Amino acid sequence: MVVAQNLMLVGSGVPTKRWGSQDYFRAGVTGGGRLLHPVVQDSTGVIEILAMTDWGILTKKNGASYTALTGASWASGYDVCSTQLGGNVYLISQQKELVKYNFNTLTSFSTLSVPAGLSATPVSAASGFATWSWLVTAIGKVGETTQSNRFSLASLPQDLSGRDIRLTWTPVSATSGDLTGYNVYRGAIGRESWIGGTNPQTTSYIDTGGSGDPYLFPPTVNTTGGPKGKYIIRYQDRLVIAGIPNDPTKVLISGRYPDHEKFDGFYGGGYTLIEPDSGEAITGLATYYQSSTNTQTIIVFKERSVWELRLGTIDVDGFGILSTAYRLLTVSQGCSSHYSIVAVENDIMFANRKGIYVLRYQPQLINVINANEMSAKIRTFFEQLSDTDLTTATAAYIDKKYVLSFRESKKTIIFDRERLSFMGPWITPFGIARWAKYVDSAGTEHWMAIDSSDQMVTAFNKNYQDDKGDVILTSFKSRKADFGDWTLFKTLNEVFMNFRAVVGKVDVNIYIEDRTGRTVTAKSFTVTASTSEGSSGIGVHQLGDIPLGLTSGSAVSSTDEVPRKAFIYKPARYMQIEIRTTNRTDNYELLGVKAVAIPQARGNNPSFWNVS
């Protein structure tokens, strides 16, 4: 195939019309889709479908409409990302701090003030030529404040081991439960790193000179109201956030459940910078499982590179402090849209500005995760897409198919994993902003998408015949067959075609290249399910421009095979088949095409081919 518009494959690779669509429910009042997330409440098994449009209000499906959720709202016109962990749903954007939904209400987190009044006093005698500096931060339910005033002491030893320094500071005013502790940092001035922490009731700390964590520094942004970011995923029992404003290479990692809402080092959280200040921002996150080593890692995508991030812990004075290590997987390509990243069986598929790539484990390369292009044969399709399409592409893995949609062009391309084939584009009357799927209590899987141009969530189903009442126009075109030798003309005698499950009528054109070098229609006919109809006619461009012998008939459905034979008997260099449907109920399955041709002598080639 060279054209497979609005088609998909069934069986052993049989082309047929794609799924249709219907309105599922309204997600908001104004604007296009920004979020779609089916969630399940563990304690009750209740399924809720969360959605958001440019309206900025989170809603959940309620029949054909919605119920608006209260407690928080978002700025209009921005994407919101979400994940579920610990019985709650967490939502994040670059315009609003982290919000929690507990299947009842939305909750924001309180922003704490920065500690003040820090002072330091040696407890035991110590002298030397070094200057040490201390900072304190306050810890909230989800984050940490920026640093307090810096307090430094001179004439101290280079090694503080066994030299106690007492720190004190003014307590932070906070509602009960909002303040969860304090972090203490020590080091050279401007290079203070984490050495320990206290509970919320304690505003003093004895620094015994331990080494602490040399890579955990005070935050540059107060995140006690929750971090901001473009992307949030679940990694085992942690939350992972990236796309942080003014920190384009930072990956923020929470503590382990039940401390998964806390991102500071005192509770096992932390952060890492993936090749900081490299001019290349993080564009997506995913998790990847390596079956050979039984390990799971975080995959960090940038525009032109892909990285693997591994987590561990180190012990610091009895605290399990997060440690991170990352390595480069590829620098030849990256990802342009976080929402195109989808787990496909044991692989990860994603899209960038050049096409579709797959990230997979390759044991023959000594346990290397490698990224390879899948879409070289349809690269011209990607070259025609806009930058908006490429950076907002969204995907899902549905019915063993990687379904990738582009909201501006309103096109969708399909990679059929079972049949290792690309199909499409699917052209819909609405753009798709996000894909999602879920299985209901009866075991039925639902495929749905939120529209990019209106407030509707749309359901897709193989039993739907149209797109919300709009006809699905299908077009199949075979490659140009030259019967093994493009230098010879052939006498094309007969073309056989075998259909199944024909509904309505199917229009067929047989194109050939004649001796003049023109591509002409050698035969046009219509196929219906009725055996008394659908005979092939003389064709177009044989007697003027009048199609003679075309067949019409009523829409009849048949599950039996419907073979057809077209008599051609014309000289042709190549042949190409085109199949179209134009009515709502029209459909077919194409089982096969076979042509009979006899090679002509090489002396019968057109004279205008000759050069002097």
Side-chain angles (χ1 to χ4, degrees):
M1 294 173 289
V2 294
V3 175
Q5 178 178 310
N6 286 327
L7 295 176
M8 59 186 291
L9 298 177
V10 294
S12 59
V14 177
T16 190
K17 188 165 73 173
R18 66 164 170 86
W19 313 317
S21 62
Q22 291 183 5
D23 284 337
Y24 196 34
F25 71 96
R26 181 175 294 276
V29 174
T30 59
R34 293 293 176 177
L35 170 72
L36 183 62
H37 188 181
V39 295
V40 181
Q41 189 174 15
D42 290 341
S43 59
T44 63
V46 172
I47 300 172
E48 294 184 358
I49 302 175
L50 305 180
M52 187 185 301
T53 69
D54 287 321
W55 186 31
I57 302 295
L58 186 68
T59 64
K60 65 179 180 179
K61 183 180 184 299
N62 185 355
S65 188
Y66 62 85
T67 296
L69 302 175
T70 59
S73 61
W74 284 259
S76 175
Y78 296 96
D79 285 342
V80 177
C81 194
S82 62
T83 193
Q84 185 175 351
L85 180 60
N88 299 309
V89 180
Y90 297 90
L91 305 103
I92 199 166
S93 77
Q94 282 200 313
Q95 287 69 39
K96 185 174 181 62
E97 293 82 359
L98 187 70
V99 173
K100 176 172 67 175
Y101 174 59
N102 63 2
F103 289 88
N104 185 24
T105 59
L106 294 166
T107 303
S108 299
F109 299 92
S110 300
T111 300
L112 302 179
S113 58
V114 177
L118 175 65
S119 62
T121 304
V123 176
S124 56
S127 62
F129 301 97
T131 297
W132 290 96
S133 173
W134 289 265
L135 304 169
V136 174
T137 62
I139 309 168
K141 287 183 176 180
V142 294
E144 187 177 2
T145 67
T146 51
Q147 65 192 38
S148 67
N149 61 293
R150 177 179 285 112
F151 194 92
S152 60
L153 291 175
S155 302
L156 291 177
Q158 191 72 32
D159 182 2
L160 286 179
S161 300
R163 310 295 199 277
D164 293 349
I165 307 294
R166 180 179 180 83
L167 309 175
T168 60
W169 59 89
T170 303
V172 170
S173 176
T175 303
S176 177
D178 288 342
L179 176 66
T180 61
Y182 297 92
N183 276 334
V184 180
Y185 299 82
R186 181 244 300 144
I189 294 177
R191 293 290 297 170
E192 297 88 350
S193 63
W194 189 89
I195 59 170
T198 73
N199 61 47
Q201 291 78 36
T202 302
T203 56
S204 64
Y205 181 84
I206 301 296
D207 181 2
T208 59
S211 59
D213 186 340
Y215 302 107
L216 190 59
F217 303 105
T220 57
V221 178
N222 188 340
T223 59
T224 53
K228 295 179 180 180
K230 282 185 177 181
Y231 323 116
I232 183 170
I233 63 170
R234 180 182 67 249
Y235 171 71
Q236 298 177 349
D237 54 358
R238 299 177 186 265
L239 297 176
V240 182
I241 295 172
I244 298 167
N246 302 318
D247 265 320
T249 61
K250 176 184 279 189
V251 178
L252 190 61
I253 304 151
S254 78
R256 302 190 64 176
Y257 176 85
D259 294 323
H260 60 282
E261 294 180 356
K262 302 176 176 63
F263 292 85
D264 63 277
F266 189 68
Y267 288 95
Y271 68 88
T272 188
L273 300 176
I274 307 295
E275 202 176 45
D277 297 325
S278 60
E280 193 181 4
I282 294 173
T283 56
L285 295 171
T287 60
Y288 184 74
Y289 175 72
Q290 287 182 265
S291 57
S292 63
T293 57
N294 195 29
T295 57
Q296 188 179 15
T297 59
I298 300 170
I299 304 298
V300 181
F301 295 85
K302 292 187 174 185
E303 183 69 49
R304 300 179 300 278
S305 58
V306 183
W307 304 76
E308 180 185 29
L309 175 61
R310 292 180 178 270
L311 306 184
T313 57
I314 57 175
D315 182 80
V316 178
D317 293 337
F319 292 104
I321 300 302
L322 179 73
S323 66
T324 61
Y326 64 86
R327 67 187 180 101
L328 180 66
L329 296 180
T330 177
V331 75
S332 60
Q333 65 272 325
C335 178
S336 60
S337 173
H338 168 77
Y339 300 104
S340 71
I341 305 168
V342 175
V344 177
E345 304 299 331
N346 294 324
D347 304 327
I348 294 176
M349 294 187 70
F350 60 97
N352 61 25
R353 299 176 190 274
K354 300 298 183 182
I356 298 173
Y357 286 76
V358 61
L359 196 71
R360 60 166 47 117
Y361 168 68
Q362 294 184 300
Q364 68 272 23
L365 296 180
I366 318 178
N367 297 339
V368 170
I369 302 174
N370 218 6
N372 297 296
E373 184 180 6
M374 300 287 292
S375 57
K377 292 184 178 180
I378 59 168
R379 192 173 296 155
T380 54
F381 172 80
F382 281 86
E383 292 172 350
Q384 298 168 4
L385 297 172
S386 68
D387 185 69
T388 299
D389 273 336
L390 295 168
T391 56
T392 60
T394 182
Y397 186 49
I398 298 173
D399 193 33
K400 301 294 184 180
K401 299 170 180 61
Y402 176 73
V403 183
L404 179 66
S405 297
F406 305 95
R407 65 172 66 178
E408 189 171 74
S409 64
K410 301 180 181 178
K411 293 180 179 180
T412 296
I413 200 74
I414 311 299
F415 177 72
D416 192 318
R417 185 183 179 277
E418 286 186 322
R419 300 162 186 90
L420 300 179
S421 174
F422 282 98
M423 296 295 289
W426 294 2
I427 302 175
T428 52
F430 49 88
I432 293 176
R434 300 278 182 88
W435 278 99
K437 64 178 180 179
Y438 77 98
V439 178
D440 64 21
S441 57
T444 302
E445 186 172 87
H446 296 262
W447 312 323
M448 56 187 174
I450 190 167
D451 299 0
S452 64
S453 52
D454 58 33
Q455 301 82 52
M456 301 306 300
V457 172
T458 300
F460 284 78
N461 192 292
K462 61 184 67 176
N463 296 319
Y464 298 157
Q465 296 179 322
D466 56 34
D467 282 327
K468 305 182 183 183
D470 287 1
V471 174
I472 300 174
L473 302 175
T474 72
S475 177
F476 167 93
K477 188 174 285 189
S478 69
R479 67 178 180 88
K480 295 179 178 180
D482 57 19
F483 300 93
D485 191 338
W486 60 270
T487 68
L488 288 180
F489 271 76
K490 303 89 185 170
T491 300
L492 180 61
N493 292 343
E494 299 161 338
V495 177
F496 298 86
M497 305 184 69
N498 198 13
F499 296 88
R500 183 179 62 193
V502 176
V503 179
K505 66 184 184 70
V506 179
D507 297 323
V508 180
N509 293 313
I510 302 175
Y511 299 114
I512 63 172
E513 181 186 309
D514 65 13
R515 290 187 178 280
T516 67
R518 297 182 305 151
T519 298
V520 299
T521 307
K523 188 77 66 175
S524 293
F525 59 95
T526 299
V527 178
T528 67
S530 174
T531 57
S532 62
E533 302 177 49
S535 59
S536 57
I538 296 176
V540 183
H541 301 301
Q542 290 192 359
L543 297 177
D545 292 328
I546 304 173
L548 300 181
L550 297 183
T551 307
S552 61
S554 59
V556 181
S557 176
S558 173
T559 57
D560 297 331
E561 293 185 10
V562 183
R564 289 292 182 265
K565 181 171 92 170
F567 297 95
I568 307 297
Y569 292 98
K570 290 185 176 183
R573 188 165 73 94
Y574 68 74
M575 177 197 72
Q576 189 172 36
I577 304 294
E578 181 185 52
I579 303 172
R580 291 181 175 272
T581 65
T582 56
N583 297 314
R584 175 181 176 273
T585 58
D586 293 349
N587 200 2
Y588 65 92
E589 294 179 8
L590 178 62
L591 300 181
V593 177
K594 183 179 179 66
V596 178
I598 300 174
Q600 296 182 353
R602 197 169 298 277
N604 290 336
N605 288 344
S607 60
F608 69 85
W609 283 19
N610 301 332
V611 295
S612 57

